[in-house]
Amino acid sequence: MKITLLGTGTPIPSLNRSSSSYMVEAGSDVILFDHGPGAFQRLMQTGKKAQDVTHVFLSHLHFDHCGDLPRLVHHQWDAVGGLKPRFKIYGPPGTQEMMDRLFGPQGAYQRDLTARTTHPVSIRIYQSRGGGKQRPWPETQVTEIANGTTVSGNGWTMAAMEVIHHQPYLDSLGFRIESEGKVFAYTSDVKLSGKQGPVRSLYALAKDADILVHYLNGFDFDNTEPGVLSKQQVVATLARDANVKTLVTTHHGPAIDRDGVRERVIADLAEIYKGRLIWGQDLMSFEL
Ligand SMILES: [Zn+2]
C-alpha cells in the first residue's frame, strides 16, 4: 500500500497546501479519500490521470473536502467519453444530490454537457478516441455510506466510522483501510476537545494503525486548567493510546503552520507521542 498526501490544507486558499485529499494505492486500485480544491493538480503531479482513479471516498461535504471532485469527474469523462467504467464515489447522505445537481440533466453543467454531447466538433473528438455515433452523458456512480459501512476492492477493505465534526448539518466519516496486513487510518475533520480528550470512536479507527493521518488545525498553549489537554495533546494522546506507528498531522492552516508555532506544537506532540511523527506536507508519500 502506498499513501500520498495530495492536500494537507484547509478551506483557506494556499499555494503550498491544497485542500484535503489523500491517495492510497492498493493492489491495482487507486483510491482517493476526499478531493478538495487544488488536489487534482497534486494528483497530476504524482503522474496519475483522472482515469487511473478507481474509488473516491468523501468524509463529509464541506467544500474543502470535495471541491475538486467535479473536475475529476469531468476530466475522466472527457478523456474516455464513457468508453471505460468510471470510478465509484462513496460519501455521506447528500452526495447523490450534490452530484445530480452538478451532472444531472438539469444540473449546473447542463449547457456544457449538452454542447459536448451534441456539437459535431465534440462528437468528432469523441469518435477520434474510439467512441461511437452517440456520446453518452456522464454518469456518476454514487453510493451513500454511513457509520459501519465496509467496502472491499482489489486486496483491500475499507471501514467507515462516524466522527464528530459539524453534525447535524453534515454527516462526517473517518476511514480505516487495511491491505496485506497494513493499516492506514484517516480521521477527516474532528472535534478536538481538551476537556473530553480524544473522541472514543477514534480509538477503533486508529487502533494499531501503521499510519494515522490526523486533523490538526487549532492549537493552544499555556493551558493551566488541571486535567484539560491542549488540542495538540488530544491528538498525541490518541496516537499514543491507540498504538499508532506513524502519526501524520494534516489540515494545517496559516495560523498553525507558521514558524515558531509549528515547532512548539510538534514539541508538545512529541512529549506525549513517541512513535514516528510527521508534519504533513503536500506530496509526501509513504510505502507500507
Ligand atoms: Zn470539515
Side-chain angles (χ1 to χ4, degrees):
M1 189 156 51
K2 182 179 177 187
I3 292 110
T4 305
L5 313 182
L6 298 182
T8 58
T10 67
I12 299 170
S14 162
L15 293 173
N16 299 322
R17 293 181 181 277
S18 292
S19 299
S20 297
S21 190
Y22 308 90
M23 176 168 70
V24 173
E25 294 166 74
S28 56
D29 290 338
V30 176
I31 305 153
L32 299 182
F33 292 97
D34 291 334
H35 207 54
F40 187 80
Q41 205 75 11
R42 297 286 187 245
L43 181 77
M44 287 196 292
Q45 285 177 278
T46 71
K48 291 276 188 284
K49 300 186 180 77
Q51 54 270 40
D52 295 329
V53 175
T54 57
H55 300 74
V56 177
F57 292 100
L58 299 180
S59 63
H60 63 297
L61 298 183
H62 267 150
F63 93 100
D64 59 312
H65 291 252
C66 58
D68 259 11
L69 181 59
R71 190 175 173 195
L72 182 73
V73 169
H74 206 118
H75 285 319
Q76 196 198 35
W77 176 76
D78 203 34
V80 302
L83 300 172
K84 283 186 192 165
R86 268 170 258 296
F87 56 82
K88 299 185 174 77
I89 299 169
Y90 300 85
T95 304
Q96 181 75 63
E97 182 189 35
M98 182 178 77
M99 298 314 287
D100 288 348
R101 287 186 178 189
L102 291 168
F103 291 99
Q106 304 304 323
Y109 296 121
Q110 178 263 332
R111 284 173 191 267
D112 171 276
L113 295 172
T114 299
R116 283 180 203 280
T117 54
T118 310
H119 194 282
V121 171
S122 294
I123 298 293
R124 269 204 302 279
I125 292 169
Y126 170 63
Q127 288 169 345
S128 76
R129 293 173 183 153
K133 279 203 172 80
Q134 301 280 324
R135 188 176 185 186
W137 197 269
E139 288 164 33
T140 52
Q141 294 191 52
V142 175
T143 305
E144 293 194 339
I145 58 175
N147 182 44
T149 300
T150 60
V151 176
S152 294
N154 188 338
W156 56 269
T157 301
M158 185 290 307
M161 300 180 200
E162 185 177 27
V163 296
I164 305 304
H165 185 39
H166 285 189
Q167 287 88 342
Y169 307 101
L170 295 172
D171 290 328
S172 291
L173 299 164
F175 301 107
R176 177 184 173 96
I177 183 165
E178 304 194 25
S179 179
E180 295 177 332
K182 301 288 185 185
V183 175
F184 166 73
Y186 165 49
T187 62
S188 148
D189 297 0
V190 288
K191 180 182 174 187
L192 298 175
S193 163
K195 279 204 171 80
Q196 292 169 11
V199 175
R200 301 310 305 174
S201 62
L202 290 180
Y203 281 95
L205 183 96
K207 189 164 176 19
D208 299 323
D210 292 279
I211 292 184
L212 170 66
V213 170
H214 199 305
Y215 170 89
L216 181 55
N217 195 14
F219 60 95
D220 44 286
F221 298 129
D222 307 322
N223 179 12
T224 52
E225 218 181 314
V228 176
L229 303 174
S230 67
K231 290 186 180 353
Q232 58 271 29
Q233 286 172 328
V234 174
V235 174
T237 300
L238 172 76
R240 179 194 65 195
D241 294 349
N243 191 35
V244 167
K245 293 185 187 65
T246 297
L247 168 64
V248 180
T249 60
T250 192
H251 210 289
H252 297 319
I256 195 170
D257 194 26
R258 177 158 59 105
D259 294 348
V261 173
R262 185 192 308 114
E263 290 76 10
R264 285 183 72 185
V265 172
I266 291 170
D268 284 356
L269 291 166
E271 209 170 283
I272 293 173
Y273 173 68
K274 303 300 179 191
R276 185 164 72 134
L277 177 57
I278 309 264
W279 190 257
Q281 312 270 5
D282 284 17
L283 294 175
M284 279 180 170
S285 71
F286 307 90
E287 293 269 4
L288 287 178

